[in-house]
Amino acid sequence: MNKKFRLFFILLLCFGLAFLASCGNNENDETEKEETTDKGDDLLSKVKDEGKLLIGTEGTYPPFTFHDDKGDLTGFDVEIAKEVAKRLDVEPEFLETQWDAMFAGLDAKRFDMIANQVGIREDRQEKYDFSDPYITSAAVLVVPKDNENIKNFEDIKGLKSAQSLTSNYGDIAKQYGAELVGVEGFNQAIELLNSGRVDVTINDKLTVLDYLKQRPDANVKIASTHDDASQSGLMFRKNSDTLVEEVNKALKDMIDDGTYLKISEKWFGEDVLK
């Protein structure tokens, strides 16, 4: 074998070994990238790694999520979410926003989940994941106390109804032909009703009963209760399977050991899951 041929053979061999090493490194890099991506997409891992659960809520919707006389965030949903976080062994961090902005906040990954009595509906299930139901309640029609003309949902056709525009209750108002007046939450709806700027509002029965209990002299009343009760769940972005599974386990454990009933009776005097 002459020198030129030998040199060519050695160079070819070195090139081949370098190519194989490069391929191996690329494969390792791709594997590491995939593992990193998979871990990054696992919301439960993110929550555990950061040690906190980011929770979107209104903070203006008693008795579910509101501020008490000391200014502290409290309510049924707040306590449920805190207990869930405790059982996940992470800290709850509540981020308050208006109802209509909560969904956008979840989409933008500002929150890991929403705890705000969000009704489980088919159209929402197409875009979001939900926990198992943790509350059941019916919609009620609220009118001024001295109004004797509005007695049922059929009577609101053509009337102004104060509603959060993307809520279940807004949908019910539209279904019966009311003209929707957008509000940021329950308190604003009651303010508009009391000031005569709207004719009615449709809202959650438990919320209205709590309001009337806290304000027995309130100038509003329940005119009618809707036949269909709705269920609410904690809401997540799609493909949050691992976190939803752990949250469902926490909810089940809370129900089984009596913690859920204790929280429910504290706020409503009864089991509101049934």
Side-chain angles (χ1 to χ4, degrees), residues 56-57 95-114 118 124 127-128 166 235-237:
T57 195
L95 301 171
E96 298 175 51
T97 187
Q98 298 171 5
W99 168 267
D100 291 330
M102 278 195 301
F103 293 81
L106 187 63
D107 293 340
K109 300 186 178 181
R110 286 187 59 214
F111 325 128
D112 300 317
M113 77 176 194
I114 289 175
V118 182
R124 289 177 182 157
K127 186 174 181 181
Y128 300 100
T166 57
M235 194 171 84
F236 309 80
R237 288 183 297 279

Side-chain angles (χ1 to χ4, degrees), residues 3 7 13 46 58 66 83 90 96 103 138 143 149 160 162 169 174 205 213:
K3 287 185 177 181
L7 180 60
L13 180 61
K46 168 190 170 293
E58 277 182 288
F66 67 104
E83 185 65 26
V90 296
E96 298 175 51
F103 293 81
V143 303
N149 296 320
K160 292 182 178 180
Y169 309 117
K174 284 190 290 186
K205 180 179 180 179
K213 182 176 72 174

